[in-house]
Amino acid sequence: MTTNWTLAARAAKMNPSVIREILKVTEKPGIISLAGGLPSPKTFPIDAFAQACAAVLEKDGQSALQYAASEGYAPLREAVARMLPWDVNPDQVLITTGSQQGLDLIAKVLLDAGSRMLVETPTYLGALQAFAPMEPTVVSVASDDEGVQVDDLATKVGTGADRARFLYVLPNFQNPTGRTMTEARRAALVAQAAELNLPLVEDNPYGDLWFDQPPALPLTARNPDGCIYLGSFSKILAPGLRLGFLVAPKGIYPKLLQAKQAADLHSPSFNQRMVAEVMKDGFLDRHVPTIRALYKHQRDAMLDALAREMAGLQVEWNRPDGGMFLWVRLPEGMSALDLLPEAVDRNVAFVPGAAFYADNADVRTLRLSFVTASAQQINTGIAALAAAIRARAAAPAVAA
């Protein structure tokens, strides 16, 4: 018996993650993956969670395993409010099932079909996926190494019914580029957004992963009523917990909460209690510096390998001050997507940069992650990538 299923129009806007598809390639034996945005499992505090698990079950097991408030576990919301660098009311904190859910809730509440929304160039692929089912018109704002170019922002906001609903931005160690917005650019962006009456959605999953000094004050701290702030426990504790949070102005919070209730009732209450238990004695202040030290070491290994292996290849890359990613630009005329099979044949994988652009993609770009590979694997992987680039450069051009 066959059944003809009729899909909603929005289903056509849903596409598989390029990154997830590439990660399947990394299952090949011997592959060195510089592709995935996964935290290093070496950073997962297993002992701390084992103790927290036992404590939660002993002290509050029945409540931990029961349905719970959609807003989130109150002590965890209070802990989130305390750890943020501005005055936050816990009543404005919503615990989400990963910060990815926060993006989904924002899309549902703020976007209609055809709504204009603004993003950096390039931007986080997962955000583009979260926004896509609402069928918005996504407009890229010019960006450089310092972040969003404020002058271009003013030209992209639109007017009347075509006015942008918000600008989505990652100021700290951005995914995919690893860049960090400068203090001057942050101040200018917040001032310009306020003048334009343009809401900001600030995504900050990597902000605690700085190497030498913390990034400048968040955008939301400068104008809390004009921003929604997204954070995550995935990068500082463990992604398998699926816990994130958002901080929203009082005027928009109830609608985000209603969207949350409709989506999943609440995020896992047991996981929330475990995180609150782990955090209660200042654990993050001791734990996160160990992550920073590991990632800085691995970033330095990748920078050294790039300098050594890419000599003479006209390949460009940046030097991120934190986070998990490094951004590479290939020589003129070369496509990262075309290069990928050649690299995989040499047992190294990366993410082509084109997937991170809402429009006018730079096909020469690619993203490298330095956090899950060892220094030895990084050296081997970058050498293989350089060999693939040399082979591609030497290949004769194919006639159109």
Side-chain angles (χ1 to χ4, degrees):
M1 180 178 178
T2 59
T3 302
N4 293 321
W5 297 93
T6 302
L7 299 181
R10 73 180 65 88
K13 303 292 184 179
M14 300 177 183
N15 295 303
S17 167
V18 172
I19 299 172
R20 296 287 169 180
E21 294 300 310
I22 290 173
L23 287 178
K24 294 178 183 178
V25 174
T26 66
E27 296 174 1
K28 173 185 172 184
I31 200 82
I32 296 173
S33 177
L34 306 178
L38 288 66
S40 171
K42 294 178 181 179
T43 68
F44 300 163
I46 295 172
D47 290 343
F49 274 113
Q51 296 173 25
C53 178
V56 167
L57 289 174
E58 180 180 354
K59 294 186 299 184
D60 202 17
Q62 291 184 340
S63 296
L65 298 174
Q66 183 57 280
Y67 286 116
S70 299
E71 293 88 341
Y73 182 49
L76 182 58
R77 296 168 71 204
E78 293 164 2
V80 168
R82 286 194 299 271
M83 75 182 191
L84 295 174
W86 74 96
D87 187 18
V88 175
N89 187 331
D91 289 343
Q92 293 175 256
V93 176
L94 178 63
I95 302 299
T96 58
T97 306
S99 62
Q100 187 72 17
Q101 185 186 51
L103 296 171
D104 179 71
L105 301 180
I106 290 168
K108 290 174 177 174
V109 169
L110 295 181
L111 295 174
D112 294 307
S115 297
R116 176 184 288 248
M117 57 157 292
L118 309 179
V119 298
E120 301 171 275
T121 307
T123 191
Y124 171 48
L125 172 60
L128 295 176
Q129 285 187 290
F131 299 142
M134 297 300 106
E135 304 178 81
T137 299
V138 182
V139 177
S140 297
V141 180
S143 308
D144 57 25
D145 290 344
E146 296 185 8
V148 173
Q149 294 182 6
V150 176
D151 291 344
D152 191 56
L153 174 65
T155 71
K156 301 292 178 63
V157 172
T159 59
D162 192 39
R163 184 175 179 79
R165 301 291 176 88
F166 60 84
L167 166 68
Y168 171 72
V169 62
L170 297 95
N172 298 325
F173 321 126
Q174 192 228 31
N175 183 358
T177 64
R179 71 187 175 211
T180 298
M181 191 178 296
T182 63
E183 167 60 32
R185 195 65 64 85
R186 291 174 196 235
L189 174 58
V190 171
Q192 179 73 289
E195 181 180 336
L196 295 170
N197 197 26
L198 175 68
L200 300 177
V201 173
E202 179 178 16
D203 198 357
N204 189 29
Y206 310 101
D208 290 315
L209 304 181
W210 48 270
F211 296 153
D212 296 312
Q213 60 183 13
L217 199 65
L219 308 177
T220 309
R222 304 160 193 257
N223 184 17
D225 290 334
C227 304
I228 297 174
Y229 180 90
L230 296 166
S232 175
F233 292 107
S234 293
K235 309 305 185 295
I236 57 176
L237 286 175
L241 297 166
R242 302 313 304 132
L243 288 181
F245 59 88
L246 63 79
V247 180
K250 293 180 180 179
I252 194 69
Y253 185 96
K255 284 299 176 185
L256 293 166
L257 175 59
Q258 290 165 23
K260 166 74 175 173
Q261 290 169 341
D264 66 357
L265 300 183
H266 62 83
S267 298
S269 53
F270 181 75
N271 292 8
Q272 292 186 60
R273 281 171 163 78
M274 280 208 303
V275 169
E277 179 72 19
V278 165
M279 290 175 63
K280 71 179 184 180
D281 65 348
F283 174 79
L284 289 180
D285 293 335
R286 303 187 299 275
H287 176 62
V288 175
T290 66
I291 304 176
R292 294 178 189 137
L294 175 64
Y295 288 2
K296 180 180 180 181
H297 172 73
Q298 291 173 203
R299 178 211 60 178
D300 289 347
M302 183 168 282
L303 289 172
D304 289 345
L306 285 166
R308 180 175 62 252
E309 302 294 343
M310 300 295 174
L313 287 179
Q314 297 182 326
V315 175
E316 302 170 354
W317 60 90
N318 62 347
R319 181 185 179 87
D321 295 322
M324 299 167 53
F325 307 112
L326 189 146
W327 195 236
V328 175
R329 197 157 188 253
L330 297 171
E332 186 79 36
M334 194 171 293
S335 162
L337 189 60
D338 293 341
L339 177 68
L340 182 59
E342 183 92 34
V344 170
D345 285 344
R346 298 170 186 270
N347 291 326
V348 63
F350 58 83
V351 181
F356 298 96
Y357 290 82
D359 52 37
N360 300 318
D362 184 347
V363 299
R364 294 167 58 188
T365 58
L366 60 92
R367 190 192 76 179
L368 298 177
S369 173
F370 48 78
V371 301
T372 54
S374 67
Q376 181 178 352
Q377 288 173 320
I378 288 171
N379 288 335
T380 302
I382 295 299
L385 178 60
I389 294 171
R390 288 192 176 89
R392 194 77 188 172
V398 178

